[in-house]
Amino acid sequence: MNIGFLGTPEISAHILQELVDNHINVKWVATQPDKESGRGRKINAPAVKEKARSLGLDVLQSKVFDNVFFEEIKKYGEIDLAIVVAYGLYLPTYFLRYPKHGCMNVHFSILPKYRGAAPVARAIMNGEAETGVTIIKLIKEMDAGDIIAERKIPIGVDDTTESLTWALVKDGSQLLINSIPSYVEGKIKPIPQSSLKIEPTYAKKIESSERFVDWNKEAISIHNHIRALYPWPVAETKINNLSIKLIKTKPIKEIAPEDKNKAAGTIVFIDKKSNSLIVKASDGALLVEKVQPSGKREMTVSEFLNGYELKKDMRFE
């Protein structure tokens, strides 16, 4: 069986490695072009390209998937199946029909919930208790293809988009590898999403402008927002013109009676020895345990308070 693989970031590279480790014959790898990144604007290759080269696989790159690129792919001969994982480019219908058994996509949600660009972050942000991985057959409509396989996993109270994504990648790799033979042999009958009678929801792309913390929200909502925005763009707040990124927090339901009527964003407790910075929310408070001051590394609150003076009753914007 000959497989074509399309993907770009690190999560795609991990799944590509798993496919090769499980003796699945990857005939070629398609990814996006090398791009400038970082302060020095250095040209960097996508993680998938680096992984493919280390595995001795041929790599094809293009900024658009057009007829010219398709002709390059066809030079490698027919393929039985294409695997698509976070490729990031629109795939035309003529390519979706090219592999003998179509294209399989790994999506990190339980479809039809959270179709779209940011399913993991949006699930955390919305306070979901579980999510999962769905393997679908790709069609023209985004994330709307028939379901080949799925697996649910719980969302931990401290999970971030980073930690949850990697948990899903691990489960998704195995689910994909286990599904490929049965699907190609016709032992799996894909299920139309419409037959589930579940209204689709959409996970729009995370924007940098979403990083600012609204202290007028409930503590659990702020906590979920912070978890969802890690590792990018990272939740941010300001106090005395100092920008601080919030890395690790914990919601607190009960606060001292004398603090309940204080304005949201007010520091109600601060202690370097116990690594504690507690900030008033609309209904309780948020314990801040790890931060990143502007231009600095991530650090505990205790480390932060060695160089920055904050006091009780000061207020975050």
Side-chain angles (χ1 to χ4, degrees):
M1 178 167 54
N2 292 319
I3 299 289
F5 185 88
L6 301 92
T8 299
E10 190 67 38
I11 59 173
S12 309
H14 178 89
I15 292 178
L16 175 61
Q17 179 74 64
E18 290 293 314
L19 291 172
V20 172
D21 287 349
N22 282 271
H23 312 292
I24 293 174
N25 183 38
V26 179
K27 200 165 188 180
W28 50 259
V29 173
T31 189
Q32 293 191 39
D34 299 1
K35 292 181 180 179
E36 291 183 348
S37 63
R39 291 182 179 179
R41 309 312 296 166
K42 182 181 177 181
I43 300 293
N44 290 303
V48 159
K49 178 180 179 179
E50 294 182 343
K51 177 61 68 177
R53 290 284 171 84
S54 73
L55 295 170
L57 301 173
D58 287 344
V59 179
L60 300 99
Q61 291 177 276
S62 178
K63 63 181 180 180
V64 293
F65 198 113
D66 55 14
N67 275 306
V68 174
F69 191 55
F70 186 40
E71 289 302 317
E72 288 297 312
I73 284 175
K74 289 197 292 185
K75 291 178 182 178
Y76 286 85
E78 294 183 355
I79 55 174
D80 298 290
L81 186 68
I83 306 297
V84 184
V85 185
Y87 178 46
L89 295 179
Y90 171 77
L91 293 173
T93 302
Y94 56 77
F95 175 74
L96 299 181
R97 294 172 178 170
Y98 175 64
K100 183 178 179 180
H101 298 285
C103 302
M104 293 175 75
N105 172 239
V106 183
H107 184 78
F108 300 117
S109 79
I110 297 298
L111 292 169
K113 294 184 69 175
Y114 295 106
R115 294 176 180 176
V120 180
R122 296 299 178 190
I124 293 174
M125 195 177 289
N126 292 340
E128 299 283 2
E130 67 175 10
T131 186
V133 183
T134 308
I135 311 294
I136 60 171
K137 184 173 182 178
L138 275 183
I139 61 173
K140 187 175 181 180
E141 185 181 353
M142 182 180 63
D143 301 328
D146 293 352
I147 294 172
I148 296 168
E150 69 177 19
R151 180 177 296 168
K152 295 180 180 180
I153 72 168
I155 299 177
V157 294
D158 293 321
D159 263 326
T160 64
T161 292
E162 181 177 58
S163 65
L164 183 57
T165 295
W166 282 107
L168 291 166
V169 168
K170 182 179 178 180
D171 275 23
S173 299
Q174 290 306 308
L175 185 64
L176 176 66
I177 289 163
N178 293 339
S179 301
I180 288 172
S182 296
Y183 174 68
V184 169
E185 293 166 12
K187 296 177 181 178
I188 294 177
K189 184 177 181 181
I191 301 169
Q193 292 187 40
S194 59
S195 70
L196 301 176
K197 307 299 181 184
I198 298 172
E199 189 69 25
T201 59
Y202 294 87
K204 68 177 182 178
K205 180 182 177 182
I206 296 291
E207 301 291 346
S208 178
S209 59
E210 296 181 68
R211 70 188 186 277
F212 300 107
V213 173
D214 182 357
W215 293 103
N216 291 299
K217 291 185 176 181
E218 295 180 350
I220 187 64
S221 178
I222 299 171
H223 175 64
N224 291 341
H225 188 84
I226 290 165
R227 297 190 296 139
L229 297 187
Y230 190 85
W232 188 91
V234 187
E236 187 175 326
T237 188
K238 273 190 174 184
I239 190 166
N240 288 357
N241 294 318
L242 173 66
S243 291
I244 303 172
K245 293 180 178 180
L246 303 180
I247 308 301
K248 185 178 180 183
T249 59
K250 186 179 295 182
I252 298 174
K253 291 183 179 180
E254 296 296 328
I255 59 175
E258 64 268 23
D259 293 325
K260 288 185 177 180
N261 292 325
K262 291 181 178 179
T266 300
I267 297 173
V268 295
F269 182 82
I270 187 165
D271 181 60
K272 183 167 70 173
K273 289 183 179 179
S274 62
N275 193 45
S276 297
L277 171 61
I278 300 178
V279 185
K280 176 77 167 57
S282 69
D283 68 328
L286 197 72
L287 171 64
V288 180
E289 298 178 297
K290 198 170 185 180
V291 299
Q292 184 178 7
S294 181
K296 305 291 184 180
R297 63 175 177 83
E298 293 180 9
M299 60 184 71
T300 64
V301 163
S302 295
E303 292 173 315
F304 170 72
L305 293 175
N306 283 328
Y308 299 89
E309 187 175 356
L310 298 185
K311 296 179 181 180
K312 184 177 179 180
D313 291 328
M314 291 176 68
R315 188 182 177 194
F316 286 94
E317 296 178 17

